[in-house]
Amino acid sequence: MNHKHLFYFWKVAKAGSVARAAEAINVTPQTLSGQIGLLESSLGAELFVRQGRSIVLTEAGKLALEYADEMFALSAELEVMIKHHPKGRPAEFRVGVSDAVPKSLACRLLQPAIDGAQSTRIVCREWQLDRLLAQLAVHQLDMVISDGPIPPSFSVRAYNHRLLESGVTFLAAKSLVAGNTAAFPACLNALPLLLPGEDSAVRTSLQPWLERQRVRARIVGEFDDMALMAAFGKAGSGAFPVPSVAEEEFLASGELAVLGRSEELRVSYFAISVERRLTHPSVLAVTQSAQRIGAGQDIP
């Protein structure tokens, strides 16, 4: 079997059409169709069938795609590992951090990757999770740190590695809570509330929790970026939730007060990587850092 033919098949299957795949890899549609025909001949099975103006995978094509995904993921993993062992210059560790991850937590997770025995230069990108996963899929990133696993709707060949889990702390500006004597969480009834955006993992469990606590929240803002939400919170715009493991970052300025903490509300952080078994030295350093933080050995 010719691996180049398999690569062309893989690109067409991922793109969903010969024309889109041809444009993406800069070859003619005729070349792609011919190469896939040769692959089908060598395998003795049709991989695509036409439905109207579209093509869809046959059962044999679906099976071939599973193997192709695995083969090209391993190929990309090999390329990453070789590139990160260069001679005479620092290795480059490219990591994406979701907007919903607190900055101090991201720093504490990533610091050991820089401080390790190997000379490493970190390149950090902060963006929405879907954009970061798209970069991971084409190997522009080595790892993504997120407050949730890969969304089911996102068809990227990558793996979730749980880093740590935390409860949730509610904070508010001291000026905003002055005179509010109600116990937590009832005190939230009297305060405007700032929430993480709908893509945030904690947002999914927050609304049912509020209902169970009989809190009628007056939501005045939603934010994809946790730092921006905290800035509005410090300005007195409303109370807001943060992961308890990172609450010291937000309390350091002295402008905020803790309203209460919930261990029922949980947020988990993940390293998302193209590696099924983690071997990248910088990624391993991050996972070991997470274990220390989760065990309470690295909490300020």
Side-chain angles (χ1 to χ4, degrees), residues 2 34 59 76 80 83-84 109 125 130 133 154 162 197-198 221 227 229 232 234 238 271 275 287:
N2 188 311
E59 290 303 316
V80 168
K83 284 183 176 179
H84 283 78
L109 287 170
R125 301 280 183 258
D130 57 345
L133 290 177
F154 202 88
R162 188 185 296 272
E198 292 183 353
M229 180 176 68
F232 273 85
K234 288 180 182 179
E275 295 181 305
T287 59

Side-chain angles (χ1 to χ4, degrees), residues 168-241:
V168 173
T169 300
F170 284 81
L171 306 175
K174 291 179 178 178
S175 58
L176 185 66
V177 299
N180 187 338
T181 57
F184 177 80
C187 60
L188 297 175
N189 282 305
L191 297 173
L193 192 59
L194 309 175
L195 294 183
E198 292 183 353
D199 291 338
S200 168
V202 71
R203 177 68 181 272
T204 305
S205 56
L206 185 57
Q207 197 65 43
W209 180 84
L210 290 171
E211 292 174 1
R212 289 195 299 273
Q213 303 302 320
R214 298 182 179 180
V215 172
R216 294 196 166 196
R218 181 165 61 91
I219 301 169
V220 298
E222 299 184 20
F223 303 86
D224 290 330
D225 186 288
M226 180 162 284
L228 184 58
M229 180 176 68
F232 273 85
K234 288 180 182 179
S237 299
F240 60 99

Side-chain angles (χ1 to χ4, degrees), residues 9 12-13 15-20 33 36 47-58:
F9 156 77
V12 171
S17 83
V18 172
R20 283 196 294 269
S33 297
I36 291 172
L47 302 177
F48 293 104
V49 293
R50 186 162 292 281
Q51 281 188 357
R53 302 178 66 179
S54 302
I55 59 171
V56 296
L57 289 165
T58 63

Side-chain angles (χ1 to χ4, degrees), residues 127-135 151 154 199:
W127 218 353
Q128 293 179 343
L129 180 59
D130 57 345
R131 304 290 183 87
L132 295 174
L133 290 177
Q135 291 190 347
F154 202 88
D199 291 338

Side-chain angles (χ1 to χ4, degrees), residues 35-113:
Q35 299 291 297
I36 291 172
L38 292 173
L39 177 63
E40 290 176 327
S41 296
S42 70
L43 293 175
E46 285 190 331
L47 302 177
F48 293 104
V49 293
R50 186 162 292 281
Q51 281 188 357
R53 302 178 66 179
S54 302
I55 59 171
V56 296
L57 289 165
T58 63
E59 290 303 316
K62 292 176 183 177
L63 180 61
L65 179 59
E66 289 182 12
Y67 278 94
D69 278 338
E70 191 73 24
M71 289 172 65
F72 290 115
L74 288 171
S75 174
E77 195 172 313
L78 172 63
E79 182 182 355
V80 168
M81 291 304 298
I82 297 299
K83 284 183 176 179
H84 283 78
H85 289 80
K87 296 179 180 179
R89 62 184 178 89
E92 192 172 83
F93 179 41
R94 300 162 299 172
V95 58
V97 179
S98 168
D99 290 337
V101 177
K103 305 299 185 292
S104 66
L105 179 59
C107 179
R108 286 153 58 197
L109 287 170
L110 293 170
Q111 191 67 48

